[in-house]
């Protein structure tokens, strides 16, 4: 039962390891977990290493113990787990054999390939019902966990239960705002800021920190120890270009602006500009896109190491992107298609990403999204997408 639970956690993307699974098995074997409520808490503490996966954990828990459907398929990859078991066997054969109720001496005579096949067989066998015996998890017998058994430190799972509060907690999904999937929201601001911390540049430490140098020199009994810091001029410049022209973008504009307002202390400067649907000859400093236009030619004179982040759903009629006078605004009909202007921007700023609030699974249905994604690295406006975008921005050409 719990082996399948472990598989499902891995299948949905939670990076649980065989080592943590064995630690959980040991806790169960010792009788440290004596109910489903305790299992919910302890398994999460042992198996899940980051709060970003708490919501996924709750979904898997509710699926496993109450049959709540998962958002995606729940097939299992046994080969990967079996190889993980082999790694644990090579590190500590006695501990693994004890945890799984194996004959250590017999297993020590097997080749690595034979061990993998043995583990795979055991794992496949565990997918079905297991009655009696003392290995793994089942019903009856002396299995450390299950129900209707006789193991002195056993934990009942399944069968009748008077209190399913753990399942109730999982079904409530109190950690939705920790999820890395779905559009970025105000509630996810703290997690989003953690992703942006990686945007701090790794420039040369070429400025002496006088206070720290004195401290270290005193600590070294007078022997001079010079401590260097990065100069403030090494901090990055960031341009944030936001599509604020349509109702579909309204939920995301304030969130992204707030996010970068909070993060300004990490950057030398953050400049925000606006556009509608796509970029033609200008970006606008005023949200109304009326009073303060800035020509793309002016951007070409900026530091090419500036990081450009474009936020937009990239969804529009193809002619707006391809036609020579595709803009719906007469003042922007310069005779140059937006497609050429976007390529010019990508060439001007090699460190550019496009954040899209549209779910990535839907991009293939919109021609303009697919076209723009061929020009700029495009990422979904989610915590995962933001983290990937930051990693891309920090890659040195």
């Amino acid at each position: 039962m719990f082996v399948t639970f472990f598989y499902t956690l891995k299948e949905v993307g939670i990076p649980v390891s065989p080592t943590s699974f064995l630690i959980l098995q040991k806790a169960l074997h010792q009788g440290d977990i004596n109910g489903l409520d305790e299992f919910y808490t302890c398994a999460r503490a042992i198996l899940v290493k980051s709060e970003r996966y708490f919501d996924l954990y709750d979904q898997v828990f509710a699926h496993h113990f109450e049959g709540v459907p998962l958002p995606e398929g729940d097939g299992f990859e046994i080969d990967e787990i079996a190889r993980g078991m082999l790694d644990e066997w090579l590190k500590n054969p006695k501990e693994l054999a004890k945890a799984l109720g194996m004959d250590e001496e017999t297993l020590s005579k097997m080749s690595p390939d034979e061990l993998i096949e043995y583990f795979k067989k055991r794992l496949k066998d565990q997918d079905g019902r297991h009655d009696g015996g003392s290995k793994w998890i089942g019903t009856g017998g002396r299995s450390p966990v299950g129900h209707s058994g006789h193991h002195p430190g056993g934990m009942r799972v399944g069968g009748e239960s008077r209190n399913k509060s753990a399942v109730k907690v999982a079904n409530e999904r109190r950690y939705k705002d920790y999820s890395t999937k779905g559009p970025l929201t105000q509630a996810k601001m703290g997690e989003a800021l953690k992703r942006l911390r990686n945007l701090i540049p790794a420039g040369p430490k070429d400025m002496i920190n006088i206070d720290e140098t004195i401290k270290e020199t005193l600590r070294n009994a007078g022997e001079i120890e010079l401590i260097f810091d990065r100069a403030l001029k090494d901090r990055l410049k960031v341009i944030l270009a936001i599509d604020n022209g349509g109702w579909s973008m309204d939920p995301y504009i304030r969130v992204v602006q707030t996010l970068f307002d909070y993060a300004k202390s990490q950057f030398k400067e953050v400049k925000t500009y606006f556009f509608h649907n796509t970029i033609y000859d200008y970006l606008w400093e005023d949200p109304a896109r009326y009073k303060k236009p800035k020509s793309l030619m002016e951007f070409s004179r900026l530091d090419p190491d500036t990081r450009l982040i474009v936020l937009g759903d990239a969804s529009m009629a193809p002619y707006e992107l391809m036609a020579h006078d595709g803009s719906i605004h007469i003042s922007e009909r310069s005779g140059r298609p937006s497609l050429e202007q976007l390529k010019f921007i990508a060439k001007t700023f090699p460190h550019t990403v496009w954040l899209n609030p549209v779910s990535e699974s839907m991009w293939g249905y919109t021609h303009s999204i697919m076209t723009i994604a061929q020009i700029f690295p495009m990422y979904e406006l989610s915590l995962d997408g933001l983290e990937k975008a930051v990693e891309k921005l920090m890659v040195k050409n």
Side-chain angles (χ1 to χ4, degrees):
M1 180 180 285
F2 294 143
V3 177
T4 304
F5 178 63
F6 177 76
Y7 288 159
T8 312
L9 292 173
K10 287 188 70 69
E11 182 69 17
V12 300
I14 301 176
V16 292
S17 67
T19 301
S20 60
F21 178 65
L22 289 176
I23 293 172
L24 178 61
Q25 290 290 330
K26 187 174 182 179
L28 290 165
H29 182 78
Q30 293 177 345
D32 295 331
I33 302 174
N34 297 298
L36 195 57
D37 293 350
E38 291 184 9
F39 177 79
Y40 168 83
T41 303
C42 292
R44 192 184 69 191
I46 294 171
L47 299 176
V48 185
K49 305 304 182 185
S50 171
E51 68 272 13
R52 65 189 294 187
Y53 300 111
F54 281 2
D55 184 59
L56 270 178
Y57 175 86
D58 278 359
Q59 292 182 64
V60 173
F61 191 93
H63 167 74
H64 191 76
F65 291 101
E66 201 172 69
V68 176
L70 286 172
E72 298 178 355
D74 58 347
F76 307 124
E77 180 58 64
I78 290 182
D79 285 352
E80 182 182 350
I81 310 301
R83 294 184 185 281
M85 291 291 187
L86 174 61
D87 290 340
E88 296 304 318
W89 167 259
L90 295 174
K91 293 176 186 175
N92 194 336
K94 184 176 181 179
E95 189 68 24
L96 182 63
K98 179 181 177 182
L100 304 183
M102 298 175 177
D103 183 346
E104 181 186 355
E105 184 177 351
T106 301
L107 292 178
S108 65
K109 299 177 181 178
M110 293 184 181
S111 68
D113 289 340
E114 290 173 335
L115 276 170
I116 288 176
E117 291 304 314
Y118 180 83
F119 292 146
K120 286 169 63 175
K121 184 177 184 301
R122 288 289 300 276
L123 295 172
K124 288 177 181 178
D125 290 345
Q126 186 60 25
D127 282 342
R129 180 181 176 89
H130 172 65
D131 292 304
S134 60
K135 297 183 293 184
W136 293 95
I137 301 150
T139 59
R142 292 176 288 109
S143 178
V145 289
H147 68 82
S148 307
H150 305 286
H151 191 279
M155 163 188 162
R156 189 193 58 75
V157 174
E160 294 184 5
S161 175
R162 297 180 182 176
N163 185 356
K164 291 188 177 180
S165 59
V167 174
K168 181 180 178 181
V169 167
N171 273 323
E172 287 176 352
R173 291 180 58 193
R174 298 170 299 166
Y175 300 100
K176 285 183 180 180
D177 290 333
Y178 288 74
S179 173
T180 60
K181 307 296 182 183
L184 198 61
T185 64
Q186 196 79 24
K188 295 181 179 180
M189 196 64 67
E191 278 297 304
L193 280 170
K194 292 180 183 178
R195 307 301 193 268
L196 283 181
R197 286 173 190 163
N198 293 325
L199 209 54
I200 300 174
K205 291 188 176 183
D206 55 4
M207 184 175 68
I208 294 179
N209 184 322
I210 296 176
D211 291 340
E212 290 300 319
T213 295
I214 293 173
K215 285 182 183 179
E216 291 301 317
T217 300
L218 291 173
R219 191 173 296 161
N220 289 342
E223 183 177 344
I224 295 177
E225 178 73 23
L226 296 177
I227 304 298
F228 291 89
D229 278 342
R230 295 181 177 90
L232 291 178
K233 63 182 178 62
D234 287 331
R235 291 192 301 165
L236 295 177
K237 299 176 183 176
V238 175
I239 292 176
L240 182 62
I242 300 178
D243 175 3
N244 72 335
W247 62 267
S248 61
M249 289 300 302
D250 286 347
Y252 314 108
I253 295 169
R254 186 173 297 276
V255 170
V256 174
Q257 277 190 291
T258 303
L259 172 64
F260 280 86
D261 283 343
Y262 284 163
K264 276 184 178 178
S265 62
Q266 299 184 40
F267 313 126
K268 183 175 182 180
E269 61 182 60
V270 179
K271 295 284 189 180
T272 302
Y273 297 91
F274 301 93
F275 65 94
H276 174 47
N277 278 355
T278 186
I279 300 171
Y280 295 95
D281 294 335
Y282 301 96
L283 286 169
W284 304 82
E285 293 185 50
D286 59 312
R289 307 189 313 280
Y290 177 70
K291 295 181 179 179
K292 298 181 179 180
K294 185 163 183 173
S295 168
L296 291 189
M297 293 307 298
E298 293 182 62
F299 286 96
S300 67
R301 294 192 287 269
L302 298 179
D303 184 352
D305 280 338
T306 299
R307 268 57 175 178
L308 173 62
I309 301 170
V310 185
L311 170 68
D313 58 16
S315 302
M316 67 202 80
Y319 78 85
E320 292 185 62
L321 201 58
M322 308 291 189
H324 286 276
D325 289 314
S327 175
I328 60 177
H329 302 287
I330 296 178
S331 60
E332 289 190 287
R333 293 180 178 175
S334 65
R336 288 187 293 272
S338 173
L339 190 66
E340 289 185 10
Q341 302 292 58
L342 294 180
K343 290 179 179 178
F344 171 77
I345 292 171
K347 185 177 180 180
T348 301
F349 299 109
H351 303 284
T352 301
V353 296
W354 188 295
L355 294 175
N356 195 330
V358 176
S359 172
E360 187 174 356
S361 62
M362 302 300 294
W363 293 354
Y365 298 99
T366 304
H367 180 268
S368 57
I369 293 180
M370 297 303 294
T371 301
I372 293 175
Q374 293 176 2
I375 301 173
F376 301 108
M378 185 176 288
Y379 302 93
E380 186 178 331
L381 183 62
S382 63
L383 291 180
D384 267 353
L386 184 62
E387 186 169 58
K388 292 175 183 176
V390 167
E391 289 177 1
K392 179 64 177 178
L393 287 171
M394 296 311 299
V395 172
K396 295 182 179 180
N397 289 346

